[in-house]
Amino acid sequence: MRTPIGILISGRGSNLMAIKSAADAGLLRAHIAFVGSDNPAAPGLTWAREQGLQTIELDYSSGRLRGEEQLEQAMVYYDTHHLVLAGFMRILSERFVERHKGMIINIHPSLLPSFPGKKGIEEAFRYGVKVTGVTVHIVDEQVDHGPILAQEAVTVEEGDTLQDLEDKIHGVEHKIYPVTIDRWLEEGDFSLPRLRRSIP
Ligand code: GRF
């Protein structure tokens, strides 16, 4: 049984592409029910259309409430309970997150809780860290926060440019996101110890 997932993007969509490749290769127990974007000009949205995926432009111009209403309508229409954030640059409201608790996953290009926010790679690089990485987590009411499902470290080598680091981080993202989504769909919130999860 393949679980329908909605993927939300705002830009390039390289993680979306990696997820689709994994799904097409039968490595992911999911099918992409729809791709939503707050940015009608997102290259990832154009790519999704070209691939024949269902796409939805979320209208945030009159506020977050309207955008999230459209998102919920799409989830109902496509019978989708699981949302995958892949470079979605909007912060979901507490109300939305509360209504879909545990059903939204995000990828962030740093080792959280270090360097949350939109410039995780750049800020880590400028800080001069020797190790940064990628985090996949369940979304909670705070930004770039919530139970961690997977992390992988990336080493900053002597002489690496910001571009080098970005390339390394994205390479790791494309590898771990599909795998982690698959585990999440199979096991739910596996960041919690099994004992705790078995307590009603
Ligand atoms: C990724 O670095 C992801 O970690 C962050 O936004 C970026 C999206 O890139 N949340 P892409 O649109 O998937 O290429």
Side-chain angles (χ1 to χ4, degrees):
M1 248 302 268
R2 286 182 169 233
T3 308
I5 57 172
I7 302 187
L8 301 185
I9 63 167
S10 296
R12 195 167 63 133
S14 69
N15 281 284
L16 162 67
M17 295 173 195
I19 294 164
K20 183 167 186 305
S21 297
D24 289 349
L27 300 171
L28 185 54
R29 71 199 72 225
H31 78 89
I32 302 173
F34 69 90
V35 176
S37 181
D38 60 315
N39 174 14
L45 200 59
T46 309
W47 180 86
R49 273 193 204 108
E50 287 166 2
Q51 296 295 311
L53 296 171
Q54 301 296 317
T55 58
I56 292 142
E57 290 178 20
L58 302 170
D59 180 11
Y60 272 75
S61 63
S62 49
R64 184 162 64 177
L65 193 61
R66 177 78 193 111
E68 291 185 353
E69 267 172 17
Q70 287 181 320
L71 178 54
E72 285 195 328
Q73 283 163 8
M75 292 171 76
V76 170
Y77 185 79
Y78 291 107
D79 197 15
T80 302
H81 299 280
H82 294 81
L83 283 182
V84 171
L85 309 189
F88 186 58
M89 302 309 270
R90 301 279 175 173
I91 295 167
L92 294 168
S93 68
E94 281 187 23
R95 178 185 158 277
F96 187 93
V97 173
E98 182 62 39
R99 282 164 63 90
H100 302 280
K101 223 176 180 53
M103 306 301 277
I104 313 169
I105 193 172
N106 183 43
I107 188 160
H108 183 77
S110 76
L111 292 177
L112 291 173
S114 293
F115 306 108
K118 289 183 182 173
K119 295 188 173 170
I121 305 177
E122 190 180 333
E123 285 175 6
F125 182 79
R126 306 245 178 263
Y127 195 93
V129 299
K130 298 298 176 202
V131 178
T132 179
V134 174
T135 303
V136 180
H137 66 97
I138 299 276
V139 171
D140 72 8
E141 289 80 358
Q142 297 175 54
V143 178
D144 294 329
H145 191 271
I148 290 176
L149 303 182
Q151 284 188 310
E152 187 166 317
V154 171
T155 308
V156 186
E157 304 293 346
E158 201 66 38
D160 272 356
T161 62
L162 176 58
Q163 185 63 53
D164 294 332
L165 182 58
E166 284 176 355
D167 292 345
K168 286 200 243 182
I169 296 250
H170 293 312
V172 169
E173 288 186 333
H174 302 158
K175 188 181 63 157
I176 72 167
Y177 210 12
V179 174
T180 309
I181 292 167
D182 190 62
R183 280 185 64 203
W184 172 57
L185 294 175
E186 185 189 15
E187 299 177 29
D189 180 359
F190 52 83
S191 67
L192 297 175
R194 286 190 180 279
L195 188 62
R196 266 179 61 200
R197 274 196 283 143
S198 65
I199 297 169

